[in-house]
Amino acid sequence: MLVNKAYKFRIYPTKKQEILIHKTMGCSRFVFNRFLGLWNDTYKETGKGLS
């Protein structure tokens, strides 16, 4: 029998950590959107997506 448990934590980052978190999320979003656009363009041209 498998029992799943979850824990919820609230973090209180310092101002410096908060800035770093925002920068990291911004970079991740940029990379995701960049490759999503590349995938869409490739699909439109060839009818196949990227692997």
Side-chain angles (χ1 to χ4, degrees), residues 9-27:
F9 294 96
R10 172 112 170 118
I11 60 170
Y12 299 96
T14 63
K15 195 65 176 168
K16 192 174 181 181
Q17 290 170 330
E18 196 174 314
I19 291 168
L20 184 60
I21 290 168
H22 284 114
K23 285 182 179 181
T24 302
M25 297 306 290
C27 290

Side-chain angles (χ1 to χ4, degrees), residues 27-39:
C27 290
S28 298
R29 190 168 35 250
F30 173 80
V31 170
F32 176 83
N33 289 332
R34 173 88 169 124
F35 284 97
L36 179 62
L38 182 62
W39 191 93

Side-chain angles (χ1 to χ4, degrees), residues 39-51:
W39 191 93
N40 285 334
D41 292 343
T42 303
Y43 185 80
K44 286 178 188 174
E45 292 174 9
T46 65
K48 295 180 181 178
L50 300 172
S51 59

